[in-house]
C-alpha cells in the first residue's frame, strides 16, 4: 500500500491510544468472529446428532474429520484472499466481498432444507473467510506503517481482544439458541452477527484513511486476462474431477477429507518454494523468510493441539463432563468460552507487559513458551480423560483448567505471530504472507482432524498425551534456536534484540 496515503483526519479521537481505524477493524472482526465461533461451537454436535433430532447423523470420526477440513479450508483459502488483495482488488474491497460471502454462507446453513444447503454454507463461509481474514490483519499492520514495533505488537493484541470478545458472545448466544435441536435458528443468529460486522465495516471506512484502497502490485491487463483463463481452467478441472469421483461411487466424506488434508500440507510447501525462488524477494527478505518457516512450523503444531477445542474437547464436554452448574445444565459449547473470557481479561495485561518488555522478549522465545504451555494443557487433558475412562463424568473444572492454560499459551504465540508475519513479509507479497500465517492454522487443523482417527485404536488418555509430548518437544527444540532465529529476524532490519533476552 502506498506510504503516501492520507493521514488521520484532524481532531480524530484515538482508540485506546491507537489509530481510530483500529476501532473499525476491531468491531468488524468482533462480529465476524461471533458468527464463526458461534457456529463452530455447535457444528460437530450438529453433524453427529441423529436425523431424528435434526442433525446429519455422521459418525464421530467422520464429523471431526469434516470439522478439521472445514476449519483448515477457512485458513487455506486465506492465501487466495491475500493474493487477490495484492494483485486485483485491494485489501479493503476484498474484506467487503469476503464479509458478504460469509453472511450468505450462514444464511444457507440457516435454511432447514437438507444437507445440500449445509455443505454449500460451509463452502461459502470458508471462501468468504479466506477473503476476509488475511486482509483484516494486514489492514491492522497498515495503520502502523511508520510506527515502532512495540506499539504495533500492542495494537495487534488489542485487535486480538476484539476477536475473543466476538468469540465469547457467539459461543454464549448460538449454542443457547440451539438448545432443543433448534440448529437452524442458531445458524441464523450467526448470519445476523456477520451482518452487524458488515455494517460496522462500511460505516467506518473513512477511519482507515485510505489503507487498502488499491492493490499493492496490481496485475497488468494482460496478466489479469491470463489469470482469469488459468483460474477458470483450474476450477473446471477440479469440478470435473470431483464429478467423476462422485460418479465412480468411491467418493465418501472421509476420503474427501483425507484428500483435502494432503492438499493442505502440499500448499504451504509449494508456496514457500515459490517465495524463496521469486525474483521479487530480496536477499534480505529471504533471510527473514527462513526464520519465518520455523515460526510457521511451530504455529502449525500449536494449532493442531489448540483447535481440538471444537472437536475432541467439545465431544468430551458433551459425553464425559458434568455440565450441571448451580443447578443449571449448560450447553457443551459454553465450556470453551472460558478461553474467550480469559483473553478479554488477560489480553490488556499481556499487551502492557509486552509493550514494557519491548524486544527483551523476542518473538521466537514467545513461540517456544507458547508451545510448551499448550502441550502442558494436554497433559492435564490426558489425566482428565483417564478419570473419565472409568465411566465417571468429571468435574467441569478439568476442562476449564485446560482452556485457561491454553489461553496463556495463545497470548504468547498468536499476537506475536500476526505481528511477525506483518514485519517479515516481503513487500511484493505483504497481504499474501498474512494468508501464509493462516496456512499454519490450516495445516494444524487438517492434520488434527485426521489424528482423531487414532482414538479408534488407542485410549483417549494416550491420544491426548501423544499430542502433549509433541508440542512440548517442539517448544524445547525451538528454545535451542531462539538466538539464531532472533539474529535472522534482526538481519531483516528489525530492531536489534539485546543479547540478554
Amino acid at each position: 500500500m502506498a506510504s503516501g496515503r492520507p493521514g488521520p483526519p484532524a481532531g480524530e479521537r484515538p482508540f485506546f491510544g491507537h489509530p481510530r481505524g483500529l476501532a473499525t477493524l476491531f468491531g468488524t472482526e468482533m462480529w465476524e468472529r461471533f458468527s464463526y465461533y458461534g457456529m463452530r461451537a455447535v457444528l460437530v454436535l450438529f453433524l453427529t446428532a441423529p436425523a431424528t433430532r435434526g442433525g446429519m447423523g455422521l459418525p464421530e470420526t467422520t464429523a471431526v474429520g469434516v470439522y478439521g477440513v472445514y476449519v483448515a479450508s477457512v485458513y487455506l483459502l486465506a492465501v487466495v484472499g491475500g493474493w487477490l488483495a495484492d494483485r486485483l482488488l485491494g485489501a479493503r474491497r476484498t474484506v467487503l466481498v469476503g464479509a458478504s460471502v460469509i453472511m450468505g454462507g450462514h444464511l444457507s446453513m440457516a435454511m432447514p432444507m437438507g444437507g445440500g444447503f449445509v455443505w454449500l454454507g460451509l463452502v461459502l463461509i470458508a471462501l468468504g473467510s479466506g477473503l476476509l481474514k488475511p486482509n483484516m490483519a494486514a489492514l491492522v499492520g497498515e495503520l502502523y506503517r511508520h510506527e515502532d514495533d512495540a506499539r504495533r505488537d500492542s495494537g495487534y493484541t488489542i485487535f486480538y481482544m476484539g476477536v475473543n470478545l466476538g468469540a465469547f458472545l457467539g459461543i454464549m448466544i448460538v449454542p443457547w439458541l440451539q438448545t432443543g435441536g433448534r440448529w437452524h435458528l442458531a445458524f441464523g443468529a450467526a448470519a445476523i452477527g456477520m451482518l452487524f460486522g458488515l455494517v460496522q465495516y462500511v460505516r467506518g471506512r473513512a477511519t482507515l484513511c485510505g489503507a487498502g484502497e488499491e492493490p499493492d502490485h496490481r496485475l497488468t491487463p494482460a496478466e489479469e486476462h491470463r489469470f482469469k483463463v488459468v483460474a477458470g481452467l483450474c476450477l473446471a478441472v477440479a469440478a470435473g474431477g470431483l464429478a467423476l469421483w462422485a460418479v465412480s461411487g468411491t467418493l465418501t466424506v472421509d476420503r474427501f477429507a483425507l484428500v483435502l488434508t494432503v492438499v493442505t500440507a502440499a500448499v504451504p510447501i509449494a508456496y514457500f518454494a515459490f517465495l524463496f525462488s521469486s525474483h521479487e524477494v530480496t536477499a534480505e527478505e529471504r533471510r527473514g523468510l527462513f526464520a519465518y518457516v520455523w515460526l510457521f512450523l511451530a504455529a502449525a503444531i500449536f494449532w493442531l493441539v489448540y483447535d481440538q477445542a471444537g472437536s475432541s474437547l467439545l465431544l468430551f464436554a458433551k459425553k464425559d463432563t458434568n455440565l450441571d452448574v448451580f443447578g443449571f445444565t449448560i450447553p457443551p459449547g459454553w465450556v470453551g468460552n472460558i478461553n474467550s473470557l480469559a483473553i478479554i481479561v488477560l489480553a490488556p495485561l499481556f499487551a502492557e507487559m509486552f509493550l514494557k518488555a519491548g524486544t527483551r522478549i523476542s518473538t521466537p522465545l514467545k513461540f517456544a513458551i507458547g508451545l510448551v504451555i499448550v502441550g502442558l494443557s494436554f497433559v492435564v487433558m490426558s489425566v482428565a480423560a483417564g478419570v473419565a475412562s472409568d465411566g465417571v463424568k468429571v468435574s467441569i473444572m478439568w476442562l476449564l483448567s485446560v482452556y485457561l492454560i491454553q489461553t496463556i499459551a495463545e497470548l504468547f504465540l498468536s499476537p506475536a505471530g500476526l505481528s511477525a508475519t506483518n514485519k517479515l513479509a516481503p513487500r511484493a507479497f505483504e497481504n499474501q504472507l498474512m494468508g501464509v500465517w493462516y496456512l499454519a492454522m490450516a495445516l494444524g487443523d487438517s492434520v488434527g482432524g485426521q489424528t482423531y482417527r487414532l482414538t479408534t485404536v488407542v485410549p483417549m488418555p494416550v491420544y491426548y498425551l501423544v499430542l502433549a509430548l509433541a508440542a512440548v518437544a517442539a517448544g524445547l527444540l525451538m528454545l535451542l534456536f531462539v538466538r539464531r532465529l532472533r539474529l535472522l529476524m534482526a538481519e531483516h532490519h528489525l530492531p536489534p534484540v539485546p543479547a540478554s533476552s
Side-chain angles (χ1 to χ4, degrees):
M1 290 136 194
S3 60
R5 71 177 191 275
E12 179 184 78
R13 291 180 295 110
F15 181 66
F16 293 107
H18 291 264
R20 191 66 191 173
L22 184 62
T24 295
L25 300 178
F26 177 101
T28 305
E29 185 76 356
M30 181 190 76
W31 283 113
E32 188 273 330
R33 293 290 86 183
F34 170 95
S35 68
Y36 174 79
Y37 279 104
M39 189 274 282
R40 200 184 81 161
V42 300
L43 179 59
V44 170
L45 301 181
F46 170 69
L47 294 175
T48 56
T52 53
R53 294 180 53 204
M56 297 287 286
L58 299 179
E60 278 188 7
T61 52
T62 300
V64 171
V66 169
Y67 164 85
V69 167
Y70 159 68
V71 176
S73 297
V74 166
Y75 299 120
L76 180 65
L77 291 165
V79 175
V80 178
W83 189 91
L84 287 172
D86 265 340
R87 307 294 183 176
L88 286 175
L89 300 176
R92 188 189 64 79
R93 292 182 187 87
T94 308
V95 168
L96 181 63
V97 173
S100 303
V101 174
I102 290 170
M103 188 175 68
H106 286 299
L107 286 173
S108 180
M109 295 191 70
M111 302 281 187
M113 300 174 67
F117 281 88
V118 172
W119 302 126
L120 175 62
L122 291 176
V123 169
L124 290 176
I125 295 168
L127 286 171
S129 298
L131 294 173
L132 182 142
K133 286 195 66 62
N135 297 300
M136 286 291 290
L139 285 172
V140 172
E142 183 66 11
L143 297 176
Y144 302 92
R145 171 69 69 193
H146 306 297
E147 301 288 348
D148 60 271
D149 291 335
R151 191 166 184 241
R152 182 201 305 257
D153 282 9
S154 177
Y156 269 113
T157 302
I158 292 173
F159 173 74
Y160 207 68
M161 188 168 66
V163 170
N164 287 278
L165 178 58
F168 174 79
L169 294 172
I171 294 172
M172 287 299 294
I173 294 172
V174 175
W176 174 70
L177 290 174
Q178 171 272 317
T179 303
R182 299 189 298 263
W183 305 105
H184 300 286
L185 176 63
F187 296 146
I192 292 173
M194 190 65 255
L195 175 62
F196 288 161
L198 191 57
V199 171
Q200 166 94 12
Y201 185 69
V202 172
R203 292 187 62 186
R205 171 185 171 183
T207 65
L208 300 180
C209 305
E213 288 286 351
E214 296 296 331
D216 285 346
H217 308 278
R218 183 184 289 277
L219 297 177
T220 65
E223 289 172 333
E224 185 174 343
H225 175 72
R226 186 164 56 249
F227 160 73
K228 290 178 180 178
V229 171
V230 172
L233 287 173
C234 289
L235 288 174
V237 170
L242 189 61
L244 289 174
W245 192 6
V247 169
S248 71
T250 59
L251 174 61
T252 64
V253 174
D254 286 329
R255 288 172 180 169
F256 186 69
L258 181 59
V259 168
L260 284 184
T261 300
V262 173
V263 171
T264 304
V267 167
I269 295 173
Y271 196 75
F272 275 117
F274 162 73
L275 287 178
F276 277 108
S277 62
S278 174
H279 68 276
E280 295 183 88
V281 178
T282 67
E284 181 183 282
E285 290 173 335
R286 207 166 275 118
R287 287 192 291 272
L289 279 176
F290 182 77
Y292 189 74
V293 169
W294 287 95
L295 300 181
F296 177 91
L297 294 173
I301 296 171
F302 177 89
W303 295 113
L304 187 156
V305 174
Y306 181 90
D307 270 347
Q308 300 269 326
S311 55
S312 65
L313 297 192
L314 180 61
L315 290 171
F316 185 86
K318 176 187 176 184
K319 298 188 301 180
D320 300 310
T321 304
N322 182 359
L323 298 177
D324 290 333
V325 179
F326 301 117
F328 175 68
T329 301
I330 65 173
W334 278 17
V335 183
N337 226 356
I338 187 64
N339 169 260
S340 302
L341 183 61
I343 285 185
I344 293 168
V345 174
L346 296 177
L349 302 179
F350 273 73
E352 183 67 19
M353 178 182 74
F354 290 142
L355 186 61
K356 289 182 177 179
T359 55
R360 286 177 294 173
I361 303 179
S362 64
T363 295
L365 181 59
K366 291 177 184 176
F367 269 63
I369 293 172
L371 276 170
V372 170
I373 294 176
V374 82
L376 293 177
S377 76
F378 262 33
V379 172
V380 176
M381 196 63 225
S382 177
V383 176
V387 174
S389 63
D390 294 332
V392 178
K393 287 200 171 187
V394 302
S395 166
I396 196 173
M397 293 305 298
W398 284 100
L399 277 177
L400 294 182
S401 299
V402 169
Y403 284 125
L404 184 59
I405 295 169
Q406 289 187 349
T407 298
I408 296 171
E410 183 182 6
L411 285 169
F412 270 98
L413 185 140
S414 194
L418 286 169
S419 183
T421 301
N422 183 263
K423 290 183 284 190
L424 294 175
R427 288 293 298 130
F429 301 96
E430 190 168 35
N431 289 331
Q432 291 179 55
L433 205 69
M434 273 299 175
V436 172
W437 167 249
Y438 293 114
L439 274 183
M441 301 181 186
L443 181 58
D445 288 329
S446 61
V447 173
Q450 297 302 315
T451 58
Y452 190 75
R453 299 183 185 282
L454 293 174
T455 61
T456 61
V457 293
V458 300
M460 289 303 298
V462 174
Y463 171 74
Y464 289 123
L465 188 59
V466 168
L467 294 185
L469 293 176
V472 170
L476 295 177
L477 179 63
M478 180 153 231
L479 195 61
L480 297 176
F481 291 95
V482 163
R483 181 178 296 273
R484 176 58 181 158
L485 292 174
R486 193 178 61 211
L487 290 174
L488 282 172
M489 294 173 72
E491 290 170 6
H492 187 70
H493 282 185
L494 296 179
V497 181
S500 60
S501 69

